[in-house]
Coordinates of all heavy atoms in Angstrom, one line a residue:
M1 N 6.7 -2.3 10.6 CA 7.7 -1.3 10.2 C 7.5 -0.1 11.0 O 6.4 0.5 10.9 CB 7.7 -1.2 8.8 CG 8.6 -0.1 8.3 SD 8.5 0.3 6.6 CE 6.9 1.1 6.5
K2 N 8.6 0.4 11.5 CA 8.5 1.8 12.1 C 9.5 2.7 11.6 O 10.6 2.2 11.1 CB 8.7 1.7 13.7 CG 7.5 1.0 14.4 CD 7.8 1.1 16.0 CE 6.8 0.4 16.7 NZ 7.1 0.4 18.1
I3 N 9.2 4.0 11.6 CA 10.1 4.9 11.1 C 10.8 5.5 12.3 O 10.2 6.0 13.2 CB 9.5 6.1 10.3 CG1 8.9 5.5 9.1 CG2 10.6 7.2 10.0 CD1 8.0 6.6 8.3
N4 N 12.2 5.3 12.4 CA 12.9 5.6 13.7 C 13.6 7.1 13.4 O 13.9 7.8 14.5 CB 14.1 4.8 13.9 CG 13.6 3.5 14.5 OD1 12.5 3.4 14.9 ND2 14.6 2.5 14.6
H5 N 13.7 7.6 12.2 CA 14.3 8.9 11.9 C 13.9 9.5 10.6 O 13.7 8.7 9.6 CB 15.9 8.7 12.0 CG 16.6 10.0 11.9 ND1 17.0 10.6 13.0 CD2 16.9 10.8 10.9 CE1 17.7 11.8 12.6 NE2 17.6 11.8 11.4
I6 N 13.6 10.8 10.6 CA 13.2 11.5 9.4 C 14.0 12.6 9.2 O 14.2 13.4 10.1 CB 11.7 11.9 9.6 CG1 10.7 10.7 9.9 CG2 11.1 12.7 8.3 CD1 9.4 11.2 10.4
R7 N 14.5 12.8 8.0 CA 15.2 14.1 7.6 C 14.6 14.7 6.3 O 14.4 13.9 5.4 CB 16.7 13.8 7.3 CG 17.5 15.1 7.1 CD 19.0 14.8 7.0 NE 19.4 13.7 6.2 CZ 19.6 13.9 4.9 NH1 19.4 15.1 4.2 NH2 20.1 12.9 4.2
I8 N 14.2 15.9 6.5 CA 13.5 16.6 5.3 C 14.3 17.8 5.0 O 14.6 18.6 5.9 CB 12.1 16.9 5.7 CG1 11.3 15.7 6.2 CG2 11.3 17.6 4.6 CD1 10.0 16.0 6.9
E9 N 14.5 18.0 3.7 CA 15.2 19.3 3.3 C 14.5 19.8 2.0 O 14.2 19.0 1.0 CB 16.7 18.9 2.9 CG 17.4 18.3 4.0 CD 18.7 18.9 4.3 OE1 19.2 19.9 3.6 OE2 19.3 18.5 5.3
N10 N 14.1 21.1 2.0 CA 13.5 21.7 0.9 C 12.3 21.2 0.4 O 12.0 21.1 -0.8 CB 14.6 22.0 -0.3 CG 15.7 22.8 0.2 OD1 15.5 23.8 0.9 ND2 16.9 22.6 -0.2
I11 N 11.4 20.7 1.3 CA 10.1 20.1 0.9 C 9.0 21.1 1.4 O 9.0 21.3 2.7 CB 9.9 18.7 1.4 CG1 11.0 17.8 0.9 CG2 8.6 18.3 1.1 CD1 11.1 17.6 -0.6
L12 N 8.1 21.5 0.5 CA 7.0 22.4 0.9 C 7.4 23.5 1.7 O 8.3 24.3 1.4 CB 5.8 21.6 1.5 CG 5.3 20.6 0.5 CD1 4.2 19.7 1.2 CD2 4.6 21.2 -0.7
G13 N 6.9 23.6 3.0 CA 7.3 24.7 3.9 C 8.5 24.5 4.7 O 8.9 25.2 5.6
I14 N 9.2 23.4 4.5 CA 10.3 22.9 5.4 C 11.6 23.2 4.7 O 12.0 22.6 3.6 CB 10.2 21.5 5.8 CG1 8.9 21.2 6.5 CG2 11.4 21.0 6.6 CD1 8.6 19.8 6.8
D15 N 12.5 24.0 5.3 CA 13.8 24.3 4.9 C 14.7 23.0 5.2 O 15.3 22.5 4.4 CB 14.4 25.6 5.5 CG 15.8 25.9 5.2 OD1 16.2 25.5 4.0 OD2 16.5 26.4 5.9
S16 N 14.7 22.7 6.6 CA 15.5 21.6 7.0 C 14.9 21.2 8.4 O 14.7 22.0 9.2 CB 16.9 22.0 7.2 OG 17.8 20.9 7.6
L17 N 14.7 19.9 8.6 CA 14.2 19.3 9.7 C 14.6 18.0 9.9 O 14.7 17.1 9.0 CB 12.6 19.3 9.6 CG 11.7 18.5 10.7 CD1 11.8 19.5 11.9 CD2 10.4 18.3 10.3
E18 N 14.9 17.6 11.1 CA 15.2 16.2 11.6 C 14.2 15.9 12.7 O 14.1 16.7 13.6 CB 16.7 16.0 12.0 CG 17.6 16.2 10.9 CD 18.9 15.3 11.0 OE1 18.9 14.2 11.6 OE2 19.8 15.8 10.4
L19 N 13.7 14.7 12.6 CA 12.7 14.2 13.6 C 13.0 12.8 14.0 O 13.1 12.0 13.1 CB 11.3 14.5 13.0 CG 10.1 14.1 13.7 CD1 9.9 15.0 15.0 CD2 8.9 14.2 12.9
K20 N 12.9 12.5 15.2 CA 13.0 11.2 15.7 C 11.7 10.7 16.4 O 11.5 11.1 17.6 CB 14.2 11.0 16.7 CG 15.5 11.3 16.0 CD 16.8 11.0 16.9 CE 18.0 11.2 16.0 NZ 19.1 10.9 16.8
P21 N 10.8 10.1 15.7 CA 9.6 9.7 16.3 C 9.9 8.7 17.4 O 10.9 8.0 17.4 CB 8.8 9.0 15.3 CG 9.5 9.4 14.0 CD 10.9 9.7 14.3
G22 N 9.1 8.7 18.5 CA 9.3 7.9 19.6 C 8.0 7.1 20.1 O 7.0 7.5 19.7
G23 N 8.2 6.0 20.7 CA 7.1 5.2 21.2 C 6.2 4.7 20.1 O 6.7 4.5 19.0
T24 N 4.9 4.4 20.5 CA 4.0 3.8 19.6 C 3.2 4.9 18.8 O 2.6 4.6 17.8 CB 3.1 2.9 20.3 OG1 2.4 3.6 21.3 CG2 3.7 1.7 20.8
L25 N 3.3 6.2 19.3 CA 2.6 7.2 18.7 C 3.4 8.5 18.8 O 3.9 8.8 19.9 CB 1.2 7.4 19.4 CG 0.3 8.5 19.0 CD1 -0.2 8.3 17.6 CD2 -0.8 8.8 19.9
T26 N 3.5 9.2 17.8 CA 4.1 10.5 17.7 C 3.1 11.5 17.3 O 2.5 11.4 16.3 CB 5.3 10.5 16.7 OG1 6.3 9.6 17.2 CG2 5.9 11.9 16.7
E27 N 3.0 12.6 18.1 CA 2.0 13.7 17.7 C 2.7 14.8 17.2 O 3.8 15.2 17.5 CB 1.3 14.2 19.0 CG 0.3 15.2 18.8 CD -0.3 15.8 20.0 OE1 -0.5 15.0 21.0 OE2 -0.6 16.9 20.1
I28 N 2.1 15.2 15.9 CA 2.8 16.3 15.4 C 1.7 17.4 15.4 O 0.6 17.3 14.9 CB 2.9 16.1 13.8 CG1 3.9 14.9 13.6 CG2 3.4 17.3 13.1 CD1 4.2 14.4 12.3
S29 N 2.1 18.5 16.2 CA 1.1 19.6 16.5 C 1.7 20.9 16.3 O 3.0 21.1 16.2 CB 0.6 19.4 17.9 OG 1.6 19.6 18.9
G30 N 0.8 21.9 16.1 CA 1.2 23.3 15.9 C 0.1 24.1 15.3 O -0.8 23.5 14.9
G31 N 0.4 25.4 15.2 CA -0.7 26.2 14.6 C -0.7 26.2 13.1 O 0.2 25.4 12.6
N32 N -1.6 26.9 12.6 CA -1.7 27.0 11.1 C -0.4 27.5 10.5 O 0.2 28.4 11.1 CB -2.8 27.9 10.7 CG -4.2 27.4 11.0 OD1 -4.4 26.2 11.2 ND2 -5.2 28.2 11.0
G33 N 0.0 26.8 9.4 CA 1.2 27.2 8.7 C 2.5 26.8 9.4 O 3.6 27.1 9.0
A34 N 2.4 25.9 10.5 CA 3.6 25.4 11.2 C 4.4 24.4 10.6 O 5.5 24.1 10.8 CB 3.2 25.0 12.7
G35 N 3.8 23.7 9.5 CA 4.5 22.6 8.7 C 4.0 21.2 9.0 O 4.6 20.3 8.6
K36 N 2.9 21.1 9.7 CA 2.4 19.7 10.0 C 2.1 18.9 8.7 O 2.5 17.8 8.6 CB 1.1 19.8 10.9 CG 1.3 20.4 12.2 CD -0.1 20.6 12.9 CE -1.1 21.3 12.2 NZ -1.0 22.8 12.1
T37 N 1.4 19.5 7.8 CA 1.0 18.9 6.6 C 2.3 18.6 5.7 O 2.4 17.6 5.1 CB 0.0 19.7 5.8 OG1 -1.1 19.9 6.5 CG2 -0.4 19.1 4.5
S38 N 3.2 19.6 5.8 CA 4.5 19.4 5.0 C 5.2 18.2 5.5 O 5.8 17.4 4.7 CB 5.4 20.6 5.2 OG 4.8 21.7 4.7
I39 N 5.3 17.8 6.8 CA 6.0 16.6 7.3 C 5.2 15.4 6.8 O 5.9 14.5 6.4 CB 6.0 16.6 8.9 CG1 6.8 17.8 9.4 CG2 6.4 15.3 9.5 CD1 6.8 18.1 10.9
L40 N 3.8 15.4 6.9 CA 3.1 14.3 6.5 C 3.3 14.0 5.0 O 3.4 12.9 4.5 CB 1.6 14.4 6.8 CG 1.5 14.4 8.3 CD1 -0.1 14.7 8.6 CD2 1.8 13.1 8.9
E41 N 3.3 15.1 4.1 CA 3.4 15.0 2.7 C 4.9 14.5 2.4 O 5.0 13.7 1.4 CB 3.1 16.3 1.9 CG 1.7 16.7 1.9 CD 0.9 15.7 1.2 OE1 1.3 15.3 0.1 OE2 -0.2 15.3 1.6
A42 N 5.8 14.9 3.1 CA 7.2 14.5 2.9 C 7.3 13.0 3.2 O 8.0 12.3 2.4 CB 8.2 15.3 3.8
I43 N 6.7 12.5 4.2 CA 6.8 11.0 4.6 C 6.1 10.3 3.4 O 6.6 9.3 3.0 CB 6.2 10.8 5.9 CG1 6.9 11.5 7.1 CG2 6.0 9.3 6.2 CD1 6.2 11.5 8.4
R44 N 4.9 10.7 3.1 CA 4.2 10.1 2.0 C 5.0 10.1 0.7 O 5.2 9.0 0.0 CB 2.9 10.8 1.7 CG 2.0 10.1 0.6 CD 0.6 10.8 0.5 NE 0.8 12.1 -0.1 CZ 1.0 12.3 -1.5 NH1 1.0 11.3 -2.3 NH2 1.1 13.5 -1.8
A45 N 5.7 11.1 0.3 CA 6.6 11.2 -0.8 C 7.7 10.2 -0.7 O 8.2 9.6 -1.6 CB 7.0 12.6 -1.1
G46 N 8.3 10.1 0.5 CA 9.4 9.2 0.8 C 9.0 7.7 0.6 O 9.9 6.9 0.4
L47 N 7.7 7.4 0.6 CA 7.3 6.0 0.5 C 6.7 5.7 -0.8 O 6.2 4.6 -1.1 CB 6.3 5.8 1.6 CG 6.7 5.8 3.0 CD1 5.6 5.7 4.0 CD2 7.8 4.7 3.3
K48 N 6.8 6.7 -1.8 CA 6.2 6.3 -3.2 C 7.2 6.9 -4.2 O 7.9 7.7 -4.1 CB 4.8 6.9 -3.4 CG 4.7 8.3 -3.4 CD 3.3 8.7 -3.7 CE 3.3 10.1 -4.4 NZ 2.2 10.4 -5.1
G49 N 7.0 6.3 -5.4 CA 7.8 6.6 -6.6 C 7.2 7.9 -7.3 O 6.2 8.5 -6.7
G50 N 7.7 8.2 -8.4 CA 7.2 9.3 -9.2 C 7.8 10.6 -8.9 O 8.6 10.8 -8.0
T51 N 7.5 11.6 -9.8 CA 8.1 12.9 -9.6 C 7.0 13.8 -9.4 O 6.0 13.9 -10.0 CB 8.9 13.3 -11.0 OG1 9.8 12.4 -11.2 CG2 9.4 14.7 -10.9
D52 N 7.2 14.7 -8.4 CA 6.2 15.7 -8.0 C 6.9 17.0 -7.6 O 7.3 17.2 -6.5 CB 5.3 15.3 -6.9 CG 4.1 16.2 -6.5 OD1 4.2 17.3 -7.3 OD2 3.3 15.9 -5.8
A53 N 7.2 17.8 -8.6 CA 8.1 19.0 -8.4 C 7.3 20.0 -7.5 O 7.9 20.9 -6.9 CB 8.5 19.6 -9.7
T54 N 6.0 19.8 -7.4 CA 5.2 20.7 -6.4 C 5.6 20.5 -5.1 O 5.3 21.4 -4.2 CB 3.7 20.7 -6.7 OG1 3.3 19.3 -6.2 CG2 3.3 20.8 -8.1
L55 N 6.3 19.5 -4.7 CA 6.7 19.3 -3.3 C 8.0 20.1 -3.0 O 8.3 20.4 -1.8 CB 7.1 17.8 -3.1 CG 5.9 16.9 -3.1 CD1 6.4 15.5 -3.1 CD2 5.0 17.2 -1.9
L56 N 8.6 20.7 -4.0 CA 9.9 21.5 -3.8 C 9.5 22.8 -2.9 O 8.6 23.5 -3.4 CB 10.6 21.8 -5.1 CG 11.4 20.7 -5.7 CD1 12.0 21.2 -7.0 CD2 12.6 20.2 -4.7
R57 N 10.3 23.1 -2.1 CA 10.2 24.4 -1.3 C 10.4 25.5 -2.4 O 11.3 25.4 -3.3 CB 11.3 24.4 -0.2 CG 11.2 25.7 0.6 CD 12.3 25.6 1.7 NE 12.5 26.8 2.3 CZ 11.8 27.4 3.3 NH1 10.7 26.6 3.8 NH2 12.1 28.6 3.8
K58 N 9.7 26.6 -2.2 CA 9.8 27.7 -3.2 C 11.3 28.2 -3.3 O 11.9 28.5 -2.4 CB 8.9 28.8 -2.8 CG 8.7 29.9 -3.8 CD 7.7 31.0 -3.4 CE 7.5 32.0 -4.5 NZ 6.4 32.9 -4.2
G59 N 11.7 28.2 -4.6 CA 13.1 28.7 -4.8 C 14.1 27.6 -4.8 O 15.3 27.8 -5.1
A60 N 13.8 26.4 -4.3 CA 14.8 25.3 -4.2 C 14.8 24.5 -5.5 O 13.9 24.3 -6.2 CB 14.4 24.4 -3.1
E61 N 16.0 24.1 -5.8 CA 16.3 23.3 -7.1 C 16.1 21.8 -6.8 O 15.8 21.0 -7.7 CB 17.6 23.5 -7.6 CG 17.9 24.9 -8.2 CD 19.1 25.1 -8.8 OE1 19.8 24.2 -9.3 OE2 19.6 26.3 -8.8
K62 N 16.3 21.4 -5.5 CA 16.2 20.0 -5.2 C 15.8 19.9 -3.7 O 16.1 20.8 -2.9 CB 17.4 19.1 -5.5 CG 18.7 19.8 -4.7 CD 19.9 19.0 -5.0 CE 21.1 19.5 -4.3 NZ 22.4 18.8 -4.6
G63 N 15.2 18.8 -3.4 CA 14.8 18.5 -2.0 C 15.0 17.0 -1.8 O 15.3 16.2 -2.7
E64 N 15.1 16.7 -0.5 CA 15.2 15.3 -0.2 C 14.5 14.9 1.2 O 14.3 15.7 2.0 CB 16.7 15.0 0.2 CG 17.1 13.6 0.4 CD 18.6 13.3 0.5 OE1 19.3 14.2 0.9 OE2 19.0 12.2 0.1
V65 N 14.1 13.7 1.1 CA 13.4 13.0 2.3 C 14.1 11.8 2.6 O 14.4 10.9 1.7 CB 11.9 12.7 2.1 CG1 11.3 12.0 3.4 CG2 11.1 14.0 1.7
V66 N 14.6 11.6 3.8 CA 15.3 10.4 4.2 C 14.5 9.8 5.4 O 14.3 10.5 6.4 CB 16.7 10.6 4.7 CG1 17.4 9.3 5.2 CG2 17.5 11.2 3.6
L67 N 14.1 8.5 5.2 CA 13.4 7.7 6.3 C 14.2 6.6 6.7 O 14.6 5.8 5.9 CB 12.0 7.3 5.8 CG 11.1 8.3 5.2 CD1 9.8 7.6 4.6 CD2 10.7 9.4 6.2
V68 N 14.6 6.5 8.0 CA 15.3 5.4 8.5 C 14.4 4.5 9.3 O 13.6 5.0 10.1 CB 16.5 5.9 9.4 CG1 17.2 4.7 10.0 CG2 17.4 6.9 8.7
L69 N 14.3 3.2 8.8 CA 13.4 2.3 9.4 C 14.0 1.5 10.6 O 15.1 1.6 10.8 CB 12.9 1.3 8.4 CG 12.3 2.0 7.0 CD1 12.0 0.9 6.0 CD2 11.2 2.9 7.3
D70 N 13.1 0.9 11.3 CA 13.6 0.2 12.5 C 14.5 -1.0 12.3 O 15.2 -1.4 13.2 CB 12.4 -0.1 13.5 CG 11.4 -1.1 12.8 OD1 11.5 -1.4 11.6 OD2 10.4 -1.6 13.4
D71 N 14.5 -1.5 11.0 CA 15.5 -2.5 10.6 C 16.8 -2.0 10.1 O 17.6 -2.8 9.7 CB 14.8 -3.5 9.7 CG 14.6 -3.0 8.3 OD1 14.9 -1.7 8.1 OD2 14.2 -3.7 7.4
G72 N 16.9 -0.7 10.2 CA 18.2 -0.1 9.7 C 18.2 0.3 8.2 O 19.0 1.0 7.8
S73 N 17.2 -0.1 7.6 CA 17.0 0.3 6.1 C 16.8 1.8 6.0 O 16.2 2.5 6.9 CB 15.8 -0.4 5.5 OG 16.1 -1.7 5.4
E74 N 17.3 2.4 4.9 CA 17.0 3.9 4.8 C 16.5 4.0 3.3 O 16.9 3.5 2.3 CB 18.4 4.6 4.8 CG 19.1 4.6 6.1 CD 20.3 5.4 6.1 OE1 20.5 6.3 5.2 OE2 21.1 5.3 7.0
L75 N 15.3 4.8 3.2 CA 14.7 5.2 2.0 C 15.1 6.7 1.7 O 15.1 7.6 2.6 CB 13.2 5.2 2.1 CG 12.6 3.8 2.3 CD1 12.0 3.7 3.6 CD2 11.7 3.7 1.2
H76 N 15.6 6.9 0.6 CA 16.1 8.3 0.1 C 15.3 8.7 -1.1 O 15.4 8.1 -2.1 CB 17.6 8.3 -0.2 CG 18.5 8.1 0.9 ND1 19.3 9.0 1.4 CD2 18.7 7.0 1.7 CE1 20.0 8.6 2.4 NE2 19.7 7.4 2.6
K77 N 14.4 9.7 -0.9 CA 13.7 10.2 -2.0 C 14.3 11.6 -2.3 O 14.2 12.5 -1.5 CB 12.3 10.4 -1.6 CG 11.3 11.2 -2.6 CD 11.0 10.3 -3.8 CE 10.0 10.9 -4.7 NZ 9.2 10.0 -5.4
R78 N 14.9 11.7 -3.5 CA 15.4 13.0 -3.9 C 14.5 13.6 -5.0 O 14.2 12.9 -6.0 CB 16.9 12.8 -4.5 CG 17.9 12.3 -3.4 CD 19.2 11.9 -4.0 NE 20.0 11.3 -2.9 CZ 20.0 10.0 -2.6 NH1 19.3 9.1 -3.2 NH2 20.9 9.6 -1.7
I79 N 14.1 14.8 -4.8 CA 13.1 15.5 -5.7 C 13.7 16.6 -6.4 O 14.4 17.4 -5.8 CB 11.9 15.9 -4.9 CG1 11.3 14.7 -4.2 CG2 10.9 16.6 -5.7 CD1 10.3 15.0 -3.1
G80 N 13.6 16.6 -7.8 CA 14.1 17.7 -8.5 C 13.0 18.1 -9.4 O 11.8 17.6 -9.5
A81 N 13.1 19.3 -10.1 CA 12.0 19.9 -11.0 C 11.7 18.9 -12.1 O 10.5 18.9 -12.5 CB 12.5 21.3 -11.4
E82 N 12.7 18.2 -12.6 CA 12.4 17.4 -13.8 C 12.4 16.0 -13.4 O 11.8 15.1 -14.2 CB 13.6 17.6 -14.8 CG 13.7 19.1 -15.3 CD 12.5 19.5 -16.1 OE1 12.0 18.7 -17.0 OE2 12.1 20.7 -16.1
K83 N 13.1 15.5 -12.4 CA 13.2 14.2 -12.1 C 13.3 13.9 -10.6 O 13.9 14.8 -9.9 CB 14.6 13.6 -12.8 CG 14.9 12.2 -12.5 CD 16.2 11.9 -13.3 CE 16.7 10.4 -12.8 NZ 18.0 10.1 -13.3
S84 N 12.9 12.8 -10.2 CA 13.0 12.4 -8.8 C 13.5 10.9 -8.7 O 13.3 10.1 -9.7 CB 11.7 12.4 -8.1 OG 11.2 13.8 -7.9
T85 N 14.2 10.6 -7.7 CA 14.7 9.2 -7.5 C 14.2 8.7 -6.1 O 14.1 9.5 -5.2 CB 16.2 9.1 -7.6 OG1 16.8 9.9 -6.6 CG2 16.7 9.6 -9.0
L86 N 14.0 7.5 -6.0 CA 13.7 6.7 -4.8 C 14.7 5.6 -4.6 O 14.7 4.7 -5.5 CB 12.3 6.3 -4.8 CG 11.8 5.6 -3.5 CD1 11.9 6.5 -2.3 CD2 10.3 5.1 -3.7
D87 N 15.5 5.6 -3.6 CA 16.5 4.5 -3.4 C 16.3 4.0 -2.0 O 16.0 4.6 -1.1 CB 17.9 5.1 -3.6 CG 18.3 5.5 -5.0 OD1 18.0 4.8 -5.9 OD2 18.7 6.7 -5.1
L88 N 16.6 2.7 -2.0 CA 16.6 1.9 -0.7 C 18.0 1.4 -0.4 O 18.7 0.9 -1.3 CB 15.6 0.9 -0.8 CG 15.4 -0.1 0.5 CD1 15.0 0.6 1.7 CD2 14.5 -1.3 0.1
Y89 N 18.4 1.7 0.9 CA 19.8 1.1 1.4 C 19.5 0.3 2.5 O 18.8 0.6 3.3 CB 20.6 2.4 1.7 CG 21.0 3.3 0.5 CD1 20.1 4.4 0.2 CD2 22.1 3.1 -0.2 CE1 20.4 5.2 -0.9 CE2 22.4 3.9 -1.3 CZ 21.5 4.9 -1.6 OH 21.9 5.8 -2.7
R90 N 20.4 -0.8 2.5 CA 20.4 -1.8 3.6 C 21.8 -2.1 3.9 O 22.6 -2.4 2.9 CB 19.7 -3.1 3.3 CG 18.2 -2.9 3.3 CD 17.5 -4.3 3.6 NE 16.1 -4.1 3.6 CZ 15.2 -4.7 2.8 NH1 15.5 -5.5 2.0 NH2 14.0 -4.3 2.9
D91 N 22.2 -1.9 5.1 CA 23.6 -2.2 5.6 C 24.6 -1.3 4.7 O 25.7 -1.7 4.3 CB 24.0 -3.6 5.3 CG 23.1 -4.5 6.2 OD1 22.9 -4.1 7.5 OD2 22.7 -5.5 5.8
G92 N 24.1 0.0 4.3 CA 24.9 0.8 3.6 C 25.1 0.6 2.1 O 25.7 1.3 1.4
K93 N 24.4 -0.4 1.6 CA 24.4 -0.8 0.2 C 23.1 -0.5 -0.4 O 22.0 -0.8 0.1 CB 24.8 -2.3 0.1 CG 26.1 -2.6 0.6 CD 26.4 -4.1 0.5 CE 27.8 -4.4 1.2 NZ 27.9 -5.9 1.3
K94 N 23.1 0.0 -1.7 CA 22.0 0.3 -2.5 C 21.3 -1.0 -2.9 O 22.0 -1.9 -3.4 CB 22.4 1.2 -3.7 CG 21.1 1.7 -4.4 CD 21.6 2.6 -5.5 CE 20.5 3.2 -6.3 NZ 20.9 4.1 -7.4
V95 N 20.1 -1.1 -2.6 CA 19.2 -2.3 -2.9 C 18.6 -2.1 -4.3 O 18.1 -1.1 -4.8 CB 18.0 -2.4 -1.9 CG1 17.1 -3.6 -2.4 CG2 18.6 -2.6 -0.5
T96 N 18.8 -3.2 -5.2 CA 18.3 -3.1 -6.6 C 16.7 -3.4 -6.5 O 16.3 -3.9 -5.5 CB 18.9 -4.2 -7.5 OG1 18.8 -5.4 -6.8 CG2 20.4 -3.9 -7.7
A97 N 16.0 -2.9 -7.5 CA 14.5 -3.0 -7.6 C 13.9 -2.5 -6.3 O 13.0 -3.1 -5.7 CB 14.2 -4.5 -7.8
A98 N 14.4 -1.3 -5.9 CA 14.0 -0.7 -4.7 C 12.4 -0.4 -4.7 O 11.8 -0.6 -3.6 CB 14.8 0.6 -4.4
A99 N 11.9 0.0 -5.8 CA 10.5 0.4 -5.8 C 9.5 -0.7 -5.3 O 8.7 -0.6 -4.6 CB 10.0 0.9 -7.2
S100 N 9.8 -2.0 -5.9 CA 9.0 -3.1 -5.6 C 9.3 -3.4 -4.1 O 8.4 -3.9 -3.4 CB 9.3 -4.3 -6.4 OG 10.6 -4.8 -6.3
K101 N 10.5 -3.4 -3.6 CA 10.7 -3.7 -2.2 C 10.0 -2.7 -1.3 O 9.6 -3.1 -0.2 CB 12.2 -3.7 -1.9 CG 12.8 -5.0 -2.6 CD 14.3 -5.2 -2.2 CE 14.8 -6.5 -2.8 NZ 14.9 -6.7 -4.2
I102 N 10.1 -1.4 -1.7 CA 9.4 -0.5 -0.8 C 7.9 -0.6 -0.8 O 7.3 -0.6 0.2 CB 9.8 1.1 -1.4 CG1 11.3 1.3 -1.1 CG2 8.9 2.1 -0.6 CD1 11.8 2.5 -1.8
K103 N 7.4 -0.9 -2.0 CA 6.0 -1.3 -2.0 C 5.6 -2.4 -1.0 O 4.5 -2.3 -0.4 CB 5.5 -1.5 -3.4 CG 4.0 -1.7 -3.6 CD 3.6 -1.8 -5.1 CE 2.2 -2.1 -5.3 NZ 1.2 -2.0 -4.3
G104 N 6.4 -3.4 -1.0 CA 6.3 -4.5 -0.1 C 6.3 -4.1 1.3 O 5.5 -4.6 2.2
L105 N 7.1 -3.1 1.7 CA 7.1 -2.6 3.1 C 5.9 -1.8 3.4 O 5.5 -1.8 4.6 CB 8.4 -1.6 3.2 CG 9.7 -2.2 3.1 CD1 10.8 -1.0 3.1 CD2 10.0 -3.1 4.3
T106 N 5.3 -1.2 2.5 CA 4.2 -0.3 2.8 C 2.9 -0.9 2.6 O 1.8 -0.4 3.0 CB 4.2 1.0 2.0 OG1 4.2 0.7 0.6 CG2 5.5 1.8 2.3
D107 N 2.8 -2.1 2.1 CA 1.5 -2.8 1.8 C 0.9 -3.4 3.1 O 1.6 -3.7 4.0 CB 1.6 -3.9 0.8 CG 1.5 -3.3 -0.7 OD1 1.1 -2.2 -0.8 OD2 2.0 -4.2 -1.5

């Protein structure tokens, strides 16, 4: 499984970011405070369940991480102060029991 597209909104130090990893290796580089760890934490959050309001950008009420996989599946992690959701979409349709299917993708 490869991630073809990443969209991050209001997560840690990131206001809004779209990233299209390429090839077999994508390097994320930059100086201190540039957002490298924020990108990695957003990807990690997008692949697991649970609520972690500490991921929200300061002052934001909600955040989102969208990961588009090489098979066209999309993982949508929406993070709020009280509640977070993790949904999986295939062919534009929401997949039921997404958490177990996502766990299967990442094992």
Side-chain angles (χ1 to χ4, degrees):
M1 169 190 72
K2 289 185 183 179
I3 299 173
N4 284 347
H5 186 93
I6 302 165
R7 183 170 53 84
I8 304 168
E9 307 233 353
N10 293 323
I11 302 296
L12 298 172
I14 299 172
D15 179 30
S16 181
L17 173 74
E18 291 212 31
L19 177 67
K20 293 184 181 182
T24 56
L25 177 69
T26 298
E27 178 181 330
I28 300 171
S29 62
N32 289 344
K36 302 176 300 289
T37 301
S38 294
I39 293 170
L40 295 175
E41 287 296 318
I43 293 169
R44 187 177 64 81
L47 293 171
K48 70 174 203 158
T51 299
D52 186 356
T54 64
L55 292 171
L56 283 176
R57 182 175 165 86
K58 189 174 183 175
E61 292 183 25
K62 60 183 178 177
E64 183 174 35
V65 179
V66 176
L67 305 175
V68 180
L69 308 179
D70 59 356
D71 69 355
S73 298
E74 293 186 17
L75 292 117
H76 290 252
K77 174 77 173 210
R78 293 171 188 91
I79 300 168
E82 302 289 323
K83 179 182 173 187
S84 295
T85 60
L86 179 59
D87 295 311
L88 176 64
Y89 295 87
R90 286 204 177 119
D91 301 319
K93 297 177 183 170
K94 190 174 178 179
V95 175
T96 57
S100 63
K101 289 185 173 63
I102 292 167
K103 185 171 175 16
L105 292 172
T106 58
D107 279 348

